[in-house]
Amino acid sequence: MTRMAVLAGLVLIAVALVLTVGGNGEQEDDSGRVEIYHLRFYQAELSLVDNQSPPQQYVDQYPAVVAEVGGVPITGETLAARQVLMELNRRDATASSDKALRERQLAYIDTIDSLEAIIDDELKRQAVDRLGLLPSYEDAVAYTKNIEAQFDDASLDATARELLKGQGFPDHDWASNSKIVEGYRQGMGLAKLLHEVCPTFEPPPTPAQGLDFRSASCTGFLRQERERGDITYFVRWAD
């Protein structure tokens, strides 16, 4: 199993992680927002584990809380972790031997605002709860056991095993860990939102886009959620 396949398999539990850290006292602008900069990685060594627990040198560049969504804080550590993930994705794309695919992936990564992406994730998480899309805990336990069985049948390399360990996965019986089960439960609710609710807000796809584009897009729904939501920014990008 490839590194990206493992990451895709574990993304369901990422929505359940809550990170809180201290800040570093940046200067405020006239709006009262602290000016912050995008992280510069240069040739820094990074691993997949760093996207869950980013190096402190990056965390320290941001205040403790950078925004709030419906009263839920978005932390500086979460923002740093998202940029680490984007950098890892950028490095994977750069290493691709398929030039056209490489260029498409890099162009897409360049369009992402890491803070806005986190806010969108939180809006979707809150919507899943509000719309009653979460499955039962028992269903999430069964799903977790099924996912573990698939991983047991796969050949995981050292990097994949390091990622599992870094995210707190036990060697066996993942369903015994309530945090892991709850993460998959949140992911199951998110999948239901993406495939059942979000498509009702989008226009029919063109033939060139295909059906997958419609089911994967959540632009219209997020536009509504941003209009009705309570979003407070404490920072702004200086560059």
Side-chain angles (χ1 to χ4, degrees), residues 33 45 58 80 90 93 126 213 236:
R33 298 182 184 182
E45 291 188 9
Y58 300 128
R90 185 186 306 279
Q126 293 182 20
F213 176 85
R236 73 174 183 85

Side-chain angles (χ1 to χ4, degrees), residues 46-126:
L46 296 171
S47 71
L48 284 173
V49 175
D50 291 329
N51 104 44
Q52 296 298 330
S53 182
Q56 196 64 37
Q57 68 192 75
Y58 300 128
V59 175
D60 288 343
Q61 296 186 37
Y62 297 131
V65 178
V66 296
E68 284 186 357
V69 181
V72 176
I74 304 299
T75 69
E77 185 171 356
T78 302
L79 181 57
R82 179 59 62 95
Q83 290 183 76
V84 169
L85 177 59
M86 290 172 61
E87 175 64 14
L88 290 170
N89 288 340
R90 185 186 306 279
R91 292 180 183 186
D92 277 341
T94 302
S96 173
S97 59
D98 185 327
K99 181 179 179 181
L101 177 61
R102 179 174 67 249
E103 291 178 349
R104 286 198 303 271
Q105 290 177 332
L106 291 174
Y108 172 72
I109 291 171
D110 287 340
T111 68
I112 298 174
D113 182 309
S114 51
L115 178 55
E116 298 302 331
I118 295 170
I119 289 173
D120 283 347
D121 286 348
E122 180 58 27
L123 287 169
K124 287 184 283 191
R125 187 197 67 79
Q126 293 182 20

Side-chain angles (χ1 to χ4, degrees), residues 188-216:
M188 293 167 71
L190 176 61
K192 198 167 185 178
L193 177 78
L194 294 176
H195 295 290
E196 296 181 13
V197 178
C198 290
T200 66
F201 287 78
E202 307 298 335
T206 66
Q209 291 170 335
L211 294 178
D212 289 342
F213 176 85
R214 183 179 181 185
S215 63

